[in-house]
Amino acid sequence: MAPVPPQQRLEKLIEVNRLISSTLALPDLLETIMENGRQLFDVEGCSLLTVEPETGDLLFHTIEGGSDDLRQTRLKAGQGIVGWVVSQKQPVVVNDVSRDARFYSGIDRQVGFTTRSILCVPMCYRGKVLGAIEAINSRSPLGFQEEDLHLLEAIASQAAVALHNAQTLESVLLEKEAYRQELGNQFRTIIGNSPAMQRVLDVAQRVARTKSTVLLRGESGTGKEVFARAIHNWSPRPKNLLWW
Ligand SMILES: Nc1ncnc2c1ncn2[C@@H]1O[C@H](COP(=O)(O)OP(=O)(O)OP(=O)(O)O)[C@@H](O)[C@H]1O
Ligand SMILES: [Mg+2]
């Protein structure tokens, strides 16, 4: 797709920002940033990386215009130009990567691509780097210019807020699902009215009121877990967290 002419860049930037801030689901958001952000630049490729909180690794989420799918690929913290951008919280323009010692050529080898120039900016939210966006191989004879950098920074700052919101929403939804399942388990009632089951229920309810340790035995699937939860719920413990 042809990039927008320079005089329409501002208009397009506003549209991109509007799209980014109205996209809530994380995968859709990443795609929106890539697809629309890219139209502002005359480049061969564009990619977005996010920082994996546990490891600090950089994960490629999506790539536009690259020769292969990089979605499973990751970079170690600090690796490559993008690693530098994230660790230094600074944008960078490199119009000839072959002269830049920070450049990591492993990704090119993996996907059979030749990176010549990189424009990369961090996505920061409240002082924390959530990831970075990079534009690759400028088609302009002058390479990446100062103006391109400012434009990508404008997109990245908006993208960072939206990314933070989408990540927060995703984790809240996951937590909500876990609670929902847990609640379902807690309120699962015990089925069975045979005399044998009545005796077990009676013992379970009596023991639940004591501080005694309970050992539940029985074949797989006979309801040990159901009884364990029921005993806990009948005991004073669910209401008095200090007991633990
Ligand atoms: N008396 C019962 N009343 C209601 N549901 C039961 C009863 N017994 C078993 N179930 C159901 O059967 C399934 C297996 O029960 P549970 O997980 O308690 O088995 P378990 O004894 O802990 O098995 P395992 O030894 O394999 O862990 C659950 O879905 C549970 O809801
Ligand atoms: Mg069990």
Side-chain angles (χ1 to χ4, degrees):
M1 191 183 298
V4 297
Q7 62 274 23
Q8 282 168 28
R9 273 182 150 188
L10 182 62
E11 218 169 290
K12 181 69 189 168
L13 175 65
I14 292 168
E15 189 199 324
V16 171
N17 281 351
R18 188 184 54 75
L19 280 169
I20 290 175
S21 44
S22 59
T23 310
L24 269 180
L26 193 51
D28 297 348
L29 173 70
L30 300 173
E31 208 166 297
T32 303
I33 298 168
M34 290 289 89
E35 260 180 36
N36 294 279
R38 177 150 189 246
Q39 292 166 23
L40 284 158
F41 301 93
D42 194 6
V43 292
E44 286 177 17
C46 198
S47 56
L48 188 152
L49 299 97
T50 55
V51 178
E52 188 176 57
E54 303 81 32
T55 58
D57 285 1
L58 292 166
L59 310 179
F60 278 90
H61 277 274
T62 194
I63 184 151
E64 278 281 317
S67 56
D68 207 338
D69 191 353
L70 275 170
R71 258 164 270 219
Q72 300 299 318
T73 309
R74 59 172 64 217
L75 287 173
K76 289 262 151 256
Q79 196 173 28
I81 288 175
V82 62
W84 184 89
V85 165
V86 167
S87 65
Q88 301 300 311
K89 290 191 195 175
Q90 275 182 49
V92 83
V93 179
V94 181
N95 273 317
D96 182 359
V97 296
S98 68
R99 290 154 166 271
D100 195 306
R102 293 168 297 189
F103 179 64
Y104 168 69
S105 58
I107 303 289
D108 274 6
R109 281 199 300 278
Q110 182 185 326
V111 298
F113 188 79
T114 305
T115 302
R116 295 187 310 275
S117 55
I118 292 183
L119 163 62
C120 184
V121 302
M123 285 190 286
C124 299
Y125 179 78
R126 294 195 174 170
K128 200 171 147 215
V129 189
L130 305 181
I133 306 179
E134 53 180 9
I136 294 160
N137 292 354
S138 168
R139 290 202 181 96
S140 155
L142 299 169
F144 288 115
Q145 300 294 296
E146 195 76 9
E147 195 204 328
D148 298 316
L149 184 128
H150 294 319
L151 195 60
L152 195 57
E153 277 187 310
I155 294 174
S157 64
Q158 190 74 21
V161 178
L163 179 61
H164 168 80
N165 289 343
Q167 285 175 335
T168 307
L169 179 68
E170 196 174 70
S171 70
V172 168
L173 289 177
L174 282 174
E175 218 167 298
K176 183 183 145 209
E177 180 55 23
Y179 281 127
R180 206 182 60 77
Q181 285 191 5
E182 184 56 25
L183 267 180
N185 285 336
Q186 289 213 12
F187 291 110
R188 189 175 295 152
T189 44
I190 295 171
I191 301 165
N193 47 20
S194 65
M197 185 60 103
Q198 289 305 318
R199 275 197 301 279
V200 180
L201 275 168
D202 184 50
V203 174
Q205 276 166 353
R206 272 191 288 136
V207 82
R209 293 193 286 272
T210 73
K211 284 191 177 187
S212 174
T213 304
V214 180
L215 171 66
L216 295 161
R217 293 194 306 172
E219 285 179 21
S220 179
T222 49
K224 296 186 294 297
E225 209 130 333
V226 178
F227 265 88
R229 287 181 188 282
I231 291 169
H232 173 73
N233 288 333
W234 289 326
S235 80
R237 296 187 185 205
K239 286 153 229 130
N240 184 0
L241 295 173
L242 294 176
W243 262 60
W244 295 99

